[in-house]
């Protein structure tokens, strides 16, 4: 295969110029562009950016929701040998300015006026390094530096003249920094990981081989996770272009479920929390049902679970379940898949953090296998991935082919190969601390299962040491508690304390029910006796399986979930434990008094 995603896009445009490549919802219909138009737009925008003074190695940045224009801006920058750094659409003004200043971005792509105003909120001004703004929706009223995206394309087409896209492709070095992806920052400021074209094309090829992805044909992807995240770049840019799949871009995060059902993609990548919310939504409807309808749903889900468990373990289902399964599928399971927008899906993937085993098994009962990707931004999103048809629930499968892998003495996962990043932008100290003779120190702790699969135990920095000297990994305990439909999030506390305690949040449906009951919450805490009793029962269930020093002795149930807006979660839905502990310190202290 060709050496960069841009070479691969060019090959696609030549081989099947009229193949649908990108689309988005416009009103009640779709706006679709072909592979040829995809390449042309990247080429013309690149020529325009170059004419405006963008030089090799200079950095552009994008603040927008996922769109064709987002990707065109990024690839156009790379075509003229610049580098691109995306910004999370839900970033705070502080984080936006940190990245713009850190990169010294000279060109900025924005969705519209509202996104630009995120930059100038709180009395901030646009960094002086920004010379040009490309407005994706065409409104340029917010800044004299703004130019409409379509106008930039038109100007680039005029300026292109006799130049050919091949002239630019010939100058690309696949091993130099092209992508700058900022870590979501569970602690401190985000770091800008520098990745090359080769990082992405190599990793995309490994995924295609491991999962036996069909080339071209009828493949379709749905893009809604932030494009500034490594997982979505790998999914809808690297794999999308490499495998020549049609990518549909969600118009906004509020429309995900509606548009997912309209698109019904064949491949879908989500973060674990999204899969959890899908499951919770179905289970809530089932539990709130009544009579024969509820009984039918419970029966069908049970049949699906037993049959798929038997199949994944190479056993024949019972004769009764074998007869019942087609009926259960027709009456219930197929309708659930349709309602979730997954009726055409032949590959589902989960990334960014570990997928709880019970969630994986629940979807398997629907006839949907979720394959899991484990990796970091610094490893192009991949170190280990699960395999089709293998019971990998609760694990992350096996390491990538063509890459070196090892577990250090303390259990830290380390990897080396063409998927490993080039280093952090302007941060030699952290680069040296993360890379050891080419080996990436992931900071994650792993262990091998009896089946030879890799299981993530937790983060080195998150391992808690009680005042009695016991070392505890919080994540496995938290995941066991989250198996309860009632519970959505758990943050364990216990570092340098005499025992473990927990801050617990409830599922959306449970919170909605509580709001209808007067006196159920007080000062941000749930005090409803029935709810506390149910949570205690779940805690007792989990504590029975734990050593005495691992058991959670006390808990507090909050009246809301941890949120991105309050700074308690990263944009990829990882908990910021230090922020959570600081914010809820009074409640935590009460559990130790």
């Amino acid at each position: 295969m060709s050496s960069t995603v841009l070479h691969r896009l060019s090959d696609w445009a030549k081989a099947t110029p009229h193949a649908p490549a990108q689309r988005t919802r416009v009103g009640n219909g779709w706006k679709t562009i072909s592979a040829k138009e995809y390449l042309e737009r990247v080429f013309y925008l690149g020529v325009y950016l170059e004419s405006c003074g963008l030089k090799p190695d200079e950095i552009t940045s994008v603040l927008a929701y996922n769109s064709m224009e987002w990707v065109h801006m990024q690839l156009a920058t790379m075509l003229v040998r610049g580098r691109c750094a995306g910004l999370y659409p839900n970033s705070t003004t502080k984080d936006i300015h940190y990245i713009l200043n850190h990169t010294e971005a000279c060109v900025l792509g924005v969705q519209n006026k509202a996104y630009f105003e995120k930059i100038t909120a709180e009395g901030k001004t646009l960094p002086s390094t920004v010379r040009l703004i490309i407005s994706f929706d065409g409104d340029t009223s917010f800044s004299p530096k703004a130019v409409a995206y379509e106008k930039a394309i038109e100007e680039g087409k005029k300026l292109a003249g006799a130049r050919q896209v091949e002239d630019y492709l010939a100058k690309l070095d696949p091993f130099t920094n092209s992508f700058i992806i900022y870590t979501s920052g569970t602690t401190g400021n985000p770091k800008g990981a520098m990745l090359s074209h080769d990082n992405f094309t190599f990793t995309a090829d490994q995924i295609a081989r491991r999962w036996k992805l069909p080339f071209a044909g009828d493949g379709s992807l749905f893009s809604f996770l932030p494009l500034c995240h490594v997982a979505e770049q790998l999914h809808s840019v690297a794999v999308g272009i490499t495998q020549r799949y049609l990518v549909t871009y969600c118009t906004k995060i509020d429309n995900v479920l509606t548009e997912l059902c309209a698109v019904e993609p064949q491949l879908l990548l989500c973060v674990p929390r999204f899969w959890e919310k899908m499951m919770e939504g179905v289970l809530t409807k089932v539990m709130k049902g009544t009579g024969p309808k509820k009984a039918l749903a419970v029966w069908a889900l049970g049949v699906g679970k037993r049959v798929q468990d038997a199949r994944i373990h190479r056993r024949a289902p019972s004769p009764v379940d074998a007869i019942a399964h087609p009926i259960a599928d027709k009456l219930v399971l197929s309708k659930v898949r349709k309602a979730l927008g997954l009726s055409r899906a032949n590959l589902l993937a989960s990334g960014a953090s570990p997928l709880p085993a019970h969630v994986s098994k629940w979807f398997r009962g629907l006839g949907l296998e979720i394959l899991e990707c484990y990796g970091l931004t610094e490893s192009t999103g991949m170190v280990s991935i699960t395999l089709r048809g293998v019971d990998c629930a609760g694990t992350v499968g096996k390491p990538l082919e063509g890459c070196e892998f090892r577990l250090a003495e303390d259990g830290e996962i380390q990897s080396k190969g063409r998927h490993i990043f080039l280093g952090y932008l302007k941060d030699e100290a952290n680069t040296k601390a993360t890379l050891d003779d080419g080996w990436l120190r992931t900071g994650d702790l792993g262990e091998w299962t009896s089946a030879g699969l890799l299981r993530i135990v937790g983060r080195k920095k998150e391992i808690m040491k009680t005042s009695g000297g016991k070392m505890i990994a919080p994540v496995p305990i938290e995941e066991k508690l989250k198996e309860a439909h009632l519970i959505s999030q758990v943050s364990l506390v216990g570092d340098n304390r005499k025992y473990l305690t927990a801050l617990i949040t409830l599922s959306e449906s449970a919170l909605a029910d509580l709001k209808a009951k007067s006196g159920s919450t007080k000062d941000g805490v749930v005090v409803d006796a029935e709810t506390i009793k149910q949570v205690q029962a779940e805690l007792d269930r989990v504590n029975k399986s734990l050593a005495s020093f691992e058991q959670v002795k006390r808990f507090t149930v909050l009246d809301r979930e941890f949120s991105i807006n309050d700074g308690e979660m990263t944009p990829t839905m990882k908990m910021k434990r230090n922020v959570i502990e600081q914010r809820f310190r009074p409640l935590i202290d009460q559990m130790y008094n």
Side-chain angles (χ1 to χ4, degrees):
M1 294 287 286
S2 298
S3 56
T4 74
V5 291
L6 285 159
H7 284 86
R8 293 181 178 189
L9 177 57
S10 178
D11 291 344
W12 184 9
K14 290 174 184 175
T16 53
H18 303 297
Q22 293 179 303
R23 71 173 178 175
T24 191
R25 193 89 171 179
V26 178
N28 294 323
W30 299 97
K31 176 186 176 183
T32 305
I33 68 170
S34 66
K36 179 174 181 287
E37 189 175 358
Y38 189 174
L39 178 65
E40 287 175 343
R41 285 178 170 260
V42 169
F43 175 45
Y44 296 146
L45 186 54
V47 171
Y48 178 76
L49 293 176
E50 186 180 53
S51 74
C52 293
L54 181 65
K55 297 179 178 60
D57 286 332
E58 285 194 314
I59 298 171
T60 68
S61 192
V62 181
L63 178 60
Y65 190 56
N66 293 18
S67 64
M68 293 187 279
E69 294 84 358
W70 204 116
V71 179
H72 299 165
M73 178 82 178
Q74 170 182 253
L75 295 182
T77 298
M78 296 174 183
L79 184 64
V80 296
R81 291 176 290 155
R83 299 178 288 171
C84 186
L87 294 154
Y88 281 98
N90 52 9
S91 289
T92 63
T93 299
K94 176 186 173 185
D95 283 345
I96 290 170
H97 275 265
Y98 174 80
I99 292 174
L100 290 179
N101 287 317
H102 190 243
T103 58
E104 299 178 73
C106 57
V107 181
L108 175 65
V110 295
Q111 183 99 11
N112 50 35
K113 182 179 179 180
Y115 275 81
F116 180 77
E117 288 175 347
K118 288 173 174 270
I119 302 169
T120 55
E122 302 173 14
K124 298 281 188 179
T125 58
L126 184 71
S128 59
T129 56
V130 177
R131 306 189 299 261
L132 172 68
I133 301 168
I134 304 293
S135 174
F136 295 166
D137 79 342
D139 179 11
T140 60
S141 63
F142 53 84
S143 172
K145 296 181 178 181
V147 173
Y149 162 83
E150 289 293 348
K151 183 179 179 181
I153 297 291
E154 290 172 13
E155 291 297 318
K157 186 175 183 179
K158 293 175 187 175
L159 292 164
R163 282 178 281 192
Q164 300 292 320
V165 69
E166 288 78 11
D167 300 333
Y168 290 86
L169 294 175
K171 296 177 182 177
L172 295 180
D173 180 350
F175 299 99
T176 59
N177 174 219
S178 298
F179 302 79
I180 300 175
I181 297 182
Y182 276 82
T183 60
S184 51
T186 52
T187 58
N189 288 322
K191 298 188 288 290
M194 299 185 292
L195 294 115
S196 69
H197 276 288
D198 187 68
N199 286 144
F200 276 97
T201 52
F202 170 79
T203 308
D205 290 344
Q206 296 306 312
I207 293 170
R209 290 192 191 100
R210 171 69 62 89
W211 287 344
K212 297 180 174 62
L213 299 182
F215 181 71
D218 192 32
S220 62
L221 307 177
F222 184 62
S223 174
F224 76 95
L225 298 178
L227 269 164
C228 54
H229 189 271
V230 70
E232 189 59 40
Q233 282 288 323
L234 190 57
H235 172 245
S236 59
V237 179
V239 171
I241 291 175
T242 295
Q243 299 303 117
R244 301 182 183 177
Y245 293 159
L246 169 64
V247 179
T248 301
Y249 298 91
C250 184
T251 52
K252 60 180 181 178
I253 195 70
D254 295 341
N255 296 343
V256 168
L257 291 178
T258 302
E259 294 183 11
L260 179 58
C261 290
V263 172
E264 294 188 313
Q266 290 171 298
L267 286 82
L268 180 67
L269 170 68
C270 295
V271 293
R273 188 67 189 125
F274 192 83
W275 293 120
E276 288 173 352
K277 283 184 176 290
M278 276 191 176
M279 180 187 74
E280 289 168 4
V282 173
L283 291 177
T284 295
K285 285 186 178 181
V286 170
M287 299 313 293
K288 288 188 175 181
T290 57
K293 193 172 181 179
K294 178 179 180 179
L296 176 64
V298 171
W299 169 79
L301 289 170
V303 170
K305 180 181 184 303
R306 291 192 298 274
V307 168
Q308 298 299 341
D309 280 351
R311 288 176 178 172
I312 201 77
H313 291 106
R314 307 291 192 273
R315 300 193 308 265
S318 73
V320 173
D321 282 342
I323 294 170
H325 189 251
I327 301 169
D329 192 75
K330 182 177 181 180
L331 296 179
V332 177
L333 305 181
S334 63
K335 292 178 180 177
V336 173
R337 293 195 299 269
K338 181 73 174 177
L340 295 175
L342 303 177
S343 61
R344 295 176 64 241
N346 57 35
L347 191 147
L348 306 176
S350 182
S353 58
L355 180 70
H358 71 283
V359 178
S360 177
K361 291 176 181 177
W362 185 85
F363 274 94
R364 195 164 67 200
L366 288 182
L368 298 169
E369 184 179 21
I370 301 178
L371 298 173
E372 191 163 4
C373 321
Y374 161 67
L376 292 74
T377 303
E378 294 86 347
S379 64
T380 323
M382 288 288 162
V383 168
S384 179
I385 52 180
T386 56
L387 302 86
R388 288 180 183 266
V390 176
D391 184 16
C392 294
T395 79
V396 291
K398 294 186 176 181
L400 286 178
E401 287 84 358
C403 302
E404 295 183 70
F405 179 91
R406 69 187 183 192
L407 291 181
E409 289 186 6
D410 62 358
E412 183 183 31
I413 296 167
Q414 299 180 357
S415 188
K416 185 178 184 180
R418 286 172 60 188
H419 59 313
I420 301 303
F421 79 139
L422 305 174
Y424 296 115
L425 181 68
K426 301 178 184 177
D427 195 343
E428 190 175 339
N430 271 315
T431 298
K432 286 184 177 179
T434 305
L435 291 175
D436 179 12
D437 191 28
W439 286 92
L440 174 68
R441 296 169 170 170
T442 66
D444 289 315
L445 299 174
E447 63 182 16
W448 297 108
T449 69
S450 57
L453 303 174
L454 180 64
R455 178 187 290 123
I456 307 300
V457 177
R459 292 284 295 167
K460 285 178 70 172
K461 292 180 180 178
E462 290 181 348
I463 295 297
M464 297 174 180
K465 185 177 182 180
T466 66
S467 57
K470 299 293 186 181
M471 307 297 286
I472 302 170
V475 173
I477 301 171
E478 292 167 347
E479 295 301 342
K480 286 181 180 179
L481 280 167
K482 286 168 62 180
E483 290 177 12
H485 174 52
L486 177 71
I487 296 171
S488 66
Q489 297 165 313
V490 180
S491 181
L492 290 188
V493 180
D495 206 33
N496 296 316
R497 307 268 193 169
K498 53 188 176 182
Y499 52 79
L500 287 186
T501 61
L503 294 170
I504 294 173
T505 72
L506 304 178
S507 66
E508 289 181 2
S509 58
L511 285 173
D513 291 341
L514 277 178
K515 287 179 181 178
K517 297 172 66 174
S518 60
S520 60
T521 64
K522 181 180 179 182
D523 298 329
V525 173
V526 173
V527 294
D528 178 67
E530 181 58 31
T531 301
I532 300 302
K533 181 180 177 182
Q534 291 177 35
V535 173
Q536 183 66 62
E538 296 298 340
L539 192 63
D540 293 342
R541 169 185 63 84
V542 172
N543 277 342
K544 286 179 184 178
S545 66
L546 301 173
S548 59
F549 66 87
E550 295 176 307
Q551 293 175 359
V552 181
K553 306 299 184 184
R554 295 184 181 181
F555 66 89
T556 298
V557 181
L558 305 177
D559 69 354
R560 66 172 178 83
E561 289 192 309
F562 303 128
S563 76
I564 296 171
N565 290 339
D566 290 321
E568 298 149 354
M569 305 287 287
T570 71
T572 52
M573 301 304 292
K574 296 172 186 168
M575 288 190 298
K576 293 185 176 182
R577 294 182 186 272
N578 58 334
V579 173
I580 290 170
E581 287 200 32
Q582 290 171 12
R583 181 151 297 159
F584 297 100
R585 182 58 56 84
L587 295 177
I588 292 170
D589 288 344
Q590 285 178 23
M591 291 190 283
Y592 289 96
N593 288 337

